[in-house]
Amino acid sequence: MKKYQTKLDLTSDEFIRRKADMETMLETLANRREEIRRNTAASIARLQKRGKYPARIKIEKIIDPGTIFHEIGLFAAYEMYDDIPGGYPAAGTITGIGTVCGKKAVIVANDPLVKSGAWVEMTCKKNLRAQELAMENNLPIIYMVDSAGVNLERQAEIFPGRDHFGRIFRNNAKMAAMGIPQISCVFGFCVAGGAYLPGMSSDLGMVTANASMFLAGPFLVRSALGQDVDMETLGGATMHNEISGVADYEFADEDEALDWIRDQMAAIGSGKSVPFDRIAGEDPAYDPDELLGILPENLSNTYEIREIIARLVDGSRFTEYKPKFGLTLVTVFARLGGFSVGIIANQGKAVKKKMPPDNHGRPQPPQIQLGNVIYSDSANKATQFIMLCNERHIPLIFLQDVTGFMVGKMAENNGIIQDGAQFVNAQANSIVPKFTVVLRNSYGAGNYAMCGKAYDPRLIYSWPTARLAVMDGGIAADTVLLTKKKLSEEEQAAFRAKLVEKYAREASPYFSAARLVVDDILDPRETRPALINGLEMAAHNASLPPYVTGVMRM
């Protein structure tokens, strides 16, 4: 593979201006992260008085020193529960992927400082996402339980649909059948249906001082049966270890419990061999800090996507597949953290497609194609590239900046629907792990073809510059206004402004991250380590079925 020769001018006004704009966005991102993670001194003191650690400290204590906890869903529930004092930071549960005793694991920790760990809809979705990661990648999962159960004032959000609370326990059973280790420790409350989660795990420990686990707490028992019973007698750690036998281990304090979790992880076998090719990795030849100055400060200006790829992949080297065909999509083979990968990326600038001579042999001018639009030739190239990667068991990475498929008379006559359908078919049936990063635009069917959330990427991230919507807000407003001919000019202007503002808010990456449409919003410099973590995670599942696409219209 050849090293990419950068054409980026680090001293240009354009680069400096773009970098400054990105740094402003990253300052907002950092402030919002800090806001979500911040615990007040008073709340921490209350935990310490009871011999308890904040949830994030517990995670720090079980992961290997010097390793990164890749958090998933930090922005879950962001600005969604403003009617609740304090909101629901991170949906009251911390989830992510960490390395424990040299092994990757999914970690779930209830945050008792957020409404005593009580669950709302986004808490449930976040836990389901964590279990999905464990099942897709055959990873052990660690539950650190400290929850008052369902938020009873919002029960309709969480019961009884397919992807509601009960799905958690269904997944516990499925993971048990798959042979996935599930390690649970109860650090505080574990109430009602939530008690089934640790009860269905492989191993269950409880901390003597604070842990309690029961289907109905003392107040409900008194209300339903007229029995007066204290917390420990009803469901304390000692009772469950000595009488019911529900728990397997009892710990004097949280430090002892955290050591036990690490011991359990250390005892797990290494499992199957890695199904994907990997050699020793190397850093990119170009400074990842330069990623900050590549994207334009607005959605219409252009850039070269290869400059971004060169700052993500090993040695800044890659081999481009069909470099002179289907130019609005760039497809490359590269290494990332030593892993062999295939990358499909939307081009960030207009390109010139060479046209054949006319019927009289006269040369024709090149066709100008918009970079972030998928044309028939680009769709065909991507389809074949995806099939090659699946044939060779090479994981796929999608870098999205797409406004959709080409429309209009010529595009329809050339069969854009058919070509787009083949692209989506090949991508949807892909058996290799897929990872998606939304760099800028992610609109309409382009989102689907480039492996949006609905197409099961193992991990999906966005940059702060991302915009996810069915289409651009201005275009949407103009389209709707064509049906509202009775409105006056003033009414049309007001309607348009309102709809554009609505699209701007809903297309924000924070809006998407709050609803787990993306797993996290990344500083561009975090993209490479996040993708390497995902590839290492995916390598734990050595089972790949045959690649079959079914009938594809020709």
Side-chain angles (χ1 to χ4, degrees), residues 88 110 115-120 123 145-152 158 165 189-195:
Y88 247 85
N110 300 128
K115 315 306 175 190
S116 299
W119 290 36
V120 290
T123 319
V145 183
D146 195 342
S147 171
V150 171
N151 185 322
L152 295 179
I158 203 168
F165 202 60
F189 290 119
C190 184
V191 182

Side-chain angles (χ1 to χ4, degrees), residues 446-464:
N447 169 280
Y448 303 157
M450 291 294 291
C451 198
K453 180 69 172 180
Y455 289 81
D456 298 325
R458 297 290 177 95
L459 293 168
I460 178 169
Y461 295 110
S462 77
W463 285 5

Side-chain angles (χ1 to χ4, degrees), residues 461-473:
Y461 295 110
S462 77
W463 285 5
T465 43
R467 296 292 181 270
L468 297 91
V470 70
M471 64 178 66
D472 172 76

Side-chain angles (χ1 to χ4, degrees), residues 249-264:
Y249 304 89
E250 183 177 2
F251 310 111
D253 55 37
E254 291 196 349
D255 285 312
E256 189 178 331
L258 297 170
D259 288 341
W260 170 77
I261 290 173
R262 287 187 54 81
D263 288 343
Q264 294 299 303

Side-chain angles (χ1 to χ4, degrees), residues 214-225:
F214 30 63
L215 297 183
F219 293 127
L220 182 54
V221 168
R222 182 186 305 165
S223 174
L225 302 176

Side-chain angles (χ1 to χ4, degrees), residues 7 45 178-179 193 209 231 334 342 353 384 400 421 454 459 513:
K7 300 176 181 64
M178 295 168 67
M231 198 86 72
K353 178 185 177 182
Q384 189 170 354
Q400 285 195 11
L459 293 168

Side-chain angles (χ1 to χ4, degrees), residues 520-540:
D520 196 8
I521 304 170
L522 298 179
D523 179 321
R525 294 165 294 192
E526 297 170 338
T527 307
R528 176 178 161 88
L531 290 173
I532 293 173
N533 169 68
L535 290 163
E536 290 175 341
M537 172 188 77
H540 281 256

